[in-house]
Amino acid sequence: MCDALQLPIVDLSSPDRFSTANSIRQACIDHGFFYLVNHGVDEELVNEVFEQSSKFFSLPIEEKMKVIIKNYNGYSPLFAGKLDTTLSTKGDSKEGFYVSQLAGDLNQWPLEEDLPSWRSTIETYYQLLSAGTKLLSLIALSLKLDEDFFEKVGAFNEPLAVYYIIQVDSSNEEIYGASAHSDFGMLTLLVTNGVPGLQICREKSEQPQVWEDVPSKSGAFIVNIGDMMERWTNCLFRL
């Protein structure tokens, strides 16, 4: 049985930037995860993203396969990946859709007649990077760096957006929607529709490992650092 974990809450709208930066620093040292509230992303847009995502994943498989993933853009089918390669399962029980930089022609989109609002909704959501960029400036402050440090090095120039749905069946096989892993990038902002499933292990070297449930929080992003941030901070910030 897993225990529910209460993560720290960081208010992005707080006028006291140094206090907020210190809160982020402590959260990243203790957990590597925290809730981000008052981030400025409209709840109606988030709900529309979930609605459009549901419509896409409900398309027939032959339609989704027309935009099969290429260069980290497009549709990733069920069981296409396995984040924990030590497992004997056939793959992670999830479908995904990946979107990268909007400029150029790397992204793949379903036909407009199939999903009229899909592309415009996803592009609008992708462009709302103010939460990420503002958060990066606070993380820089938390590390005693200039506020624009990460902006100057281009750390948020090409973010990757991933939309996915977990599939659960009634078989006796152990099912993992996204098996044990750490995110390979710098920073992840996760929003859920309230469906439980996210767990974290704070002491990975201990045996047996203890996994704790991370409850969703209405109106909040769940933020976690990735491999790059752990490495850049010489493991001060933990995964």
Side-chain angles (χ1 to χ4, degrees), residues 78-144:
L78 191 66
F79 304 123
K82 184 163 60 175
L83 292 169
D84 185 352
T85 57
T86 66
L87 295 175
S88 59
T89 55
K90 56 186 175 182
D92 289 343
S93 184
K94 72 177 191 306
E95 297 176 77
F97 192 91
Y98 294 74
V99 176
S100 67
Q101 61 200 71
L102 298 183
D105 56 0
L106 288 178
N107 288 309
Q108 303 187 78
W109 305 102
L111 294 176
E112 190 77 15
E113 55 262 36
D114 293 334
L115 293 174
S117 301
W118 166 261
R119 180 172 181 173
S120 60
T121 300
I122 298 305
E123 286 185 331
T124 299
Y125 187 64
Y126 183 93
Q127 289 173 321
L128 285 177
L129 301 180
S130 58
T133 52
K134 187 174 182 179
L135 181 56
L136 281 183
S137 68
L138 289 166
I139 290 176
L141 283 179
S142 78
L143 294 168
K144 317 303 180 188

Side-chain angles (χ1 to χ4, degrees), residues 145-181:
L145 300 169
D146 293 336
E147 289 188 52
D148 61 350
F149 175 83
F150 291 113
E151 182 180 356
K152 287 188 294 186
V153 299
F156 214 64
N157 284 358
E158 296 181 8
L160 178 68
V162 184
Y163 309 84
Y164 63 86
I165 185 170
I166 304 298
Q167 304 282 6
V168 179
D169 61 30
S170 58
S171 71
N172 293 325
E173 181 184 2
E174 195 167 15
I175 298 296
Y176 295 91
S179 50
H181 68 283

